[in-house]
């Protein structure tokens, strides 16, 4: 059983008094450039209650994902440094007290990782040099399962993957030279058989993939995803069991869209001179002031 120190509990109580509307702790995590590297902070959508959790290695950008389910009573996020292999797990209290950081490093780079909605496993796009391969795997309980899909990464490759809202499968961005980019839907009942839900002849299309959250079974309300087009626009794609139904620009000036827990708001970066601001929509609200941001996520 995980025990929290008396000091940590006192900090938690103090935090609850300062932020009564945020009993579960600040729900947004982001990576911000500080000095020669990036650090991870958590904050509320309006920018209050900001806490610093972690400072990454120098000259590395950071990719992060927040665990929807509490782990042993703590919040949890997974972090990847751009120039390092493997990934780290950071657990912290609502008051920002960080537990010993766990490092999982098998010598391969991680290009994408996403927590399952309920069971704490990670869907990982993993890139290794010896032998050369890019593969999809599920990490759970300290180790990887067998590859779901793999390639040598020469003429085709996987870039990012996100669980479907109910965890029944996932979407993955697949690119192939001479063909372009396809967003594939794969069900865990038969993950080796992909179904396309979106495609483009542009090999660099569909950046920053994010899937909608579900309260229960996958239905039309959460059969949608966000992507960036590389031209400061965030698109929302709606799809069905038969493929794509619509592709709509939902943010005309934004990067890196992430759905809120109920899908009503979108966390995104807005380009300004010499940097970005971190914002949420509906209503449009600044979450963090101008800086260089690398990644952000919103915990349910």
């Amino acid at each position: 059983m995980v025990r929290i120190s008396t000091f940590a509990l006192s900090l938690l109580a103090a935090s609850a008094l300062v932020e009564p509307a945020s009993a579960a702790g600040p729900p947004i995590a982001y990576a911000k450039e500080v000095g020669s590297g990036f650090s991870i902070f958590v904050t509320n959508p309006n920018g209050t209650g900001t806490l610093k959790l972690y400072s990454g290695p120098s000259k590395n950008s950071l990719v992060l994902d927040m665990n929807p389910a509490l782990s042993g009573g703590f919040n949890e996020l997974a972090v990847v440094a751009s120039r390092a292999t493997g990934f780290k797990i950071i657990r912290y209290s609502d008051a920002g007290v960080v537990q010993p950081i766990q490092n999982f490093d098998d010598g391969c780079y991680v290009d994408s990782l996403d927590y399952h909605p309920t069971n704490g496993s990670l869907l990982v796009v993993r890139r290794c040099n010896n032998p050369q391969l890019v593969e999809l795997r599920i990490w759970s309980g300290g180790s990887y399962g067998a590859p779901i899909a793999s390639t040598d990464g020469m003429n085709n490759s996987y870039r990012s993957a996100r669980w479907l809202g109910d965890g029944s499968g996932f979407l993955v961005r697949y690119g192939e030279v001479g063909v372009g980019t396809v967003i594939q839907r794969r069900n865990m009942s038969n993950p080796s058989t992909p179904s396309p839900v979106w495609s483009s002849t542009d090999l660099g299309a569909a950046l920053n993939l994010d899937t909608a959250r579900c309260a229960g079974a996958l239905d039309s309300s959460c059969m949608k995803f966000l992507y960036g087009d590389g031209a400061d626009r965030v698109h929302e794609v709606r799809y069905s069991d038969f493929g794509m139904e619509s592709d709509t620009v939902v943010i005309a000036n934004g990067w890196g869209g992430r759905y809120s827990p109920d899908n009503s708001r979108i966390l995104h970066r807005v380009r300004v001179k010499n940097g970005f601001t971190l914002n949420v929509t509906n209503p449009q609200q600044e979450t963090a002031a101008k800086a260089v941001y690398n990644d952000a996520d919103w915990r349910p």
Side-chain angles (χ1 to χ4, degrees), residues 140-277:
S140 179
S143 63
Y144 284 108
I148 296 172
S150 64
T151 174
D152 63 10
M154 296 295 290
N155 294 310
N156 58 351
S157 188
Y158 302 98
R159 285 290 302 276
S160 59
R162 304 286 293 185
W163 287 106
L164 297 176
D166 65 345
S168 63
F170 58 88
L171 300 183
V172 60
R173 180 181 180 272
Y174 171 78
E176 184 173 352
V177 175
V179 176
T181 301
V182 179
I183 303 298
Q184 300 175 343
R185 177 183 176 183
R186 295 175 180 246
N187 293 319
M188 292 310 297
S189 59
N190 187 16
S192 62
T193 303
S195 299
V197 296
W198 182 93
S199 64
S200 170
T201 56
D202 181 2
L203 194 58
L207 307 172
N208 303 306
L209 185 66
D210 189 48
T211 49
R213 322 279 182 117
C214 292
L218 190 70
D219 60 20
S220 59
S221 68
C222 64
M223 294 180 75
K224 58 185 181 180
F225 63 89
L226 301 172
Y227 75 87
D229 62 11
D232 283 26
R233 293 175 299 193
V234 176
H235 295 238
E236 183 176 74
V237 173
R238 292 182 178 270
Y239 64 95
S240 69
D241 292 337
F242 304 101
M244 188 185 80
E245 294 188 342
S246 64
D247 182 336
T248 306
V249 174
V250 289
I251 301 175
N253 178 21
W255 286 72
R258 290 287 182 264
Y259 284 111
S260 67
D262 63 358
N263 303 318
S264 67
R265 308 183 78 181
I266 298 174
L267 174 66
H268 61 287
R269 289 168 283 168
V270 174
R271 189 187 297 275
V272 294
K273 186 177 181 180
N274 300 323
F276 295 87
T277 59

Side-chain angles (χ1 to χ4, degrees), residues 87-99:
F87 62 93
K88 300 180 186 297
I89 298 289
I90 299 175
R91 294 189 177 98
Y92 61 97
S93 72
D94 292 346
V97 178
V98 178
Q99 303 302 297

Side-chain angles (χ1 to χ4, degrees), residues 54-111:
Y54 170 75
S55 293
S58 177
K59 299 180 181 179
N60 278 256
S61 57
L62 300 176
V63 172
L64 62 91
D65 194 71
M66 300 187 80
N67 192 345
L70 294 180
S71 177
F74 289 91
N75 306 291
E76 179 178 294
L77 55 83
V79 180
V80 175
S82 60
R83 297 187 177 185
T85 54
F87 62 93
K88 300 180 186 297
I89 298 289
I90 299 175
R91 294 189 177 98
Y92 61 97
S93 72
D94 292 346
V97 178
V98 178
Q99 303 302 297
I101 295 173
Q102 299 179 45
N103 186 50
F104 300 94
D105 189 355
D106 63 354
C108 295
Y109 294 90
V110 172
D111 291 336

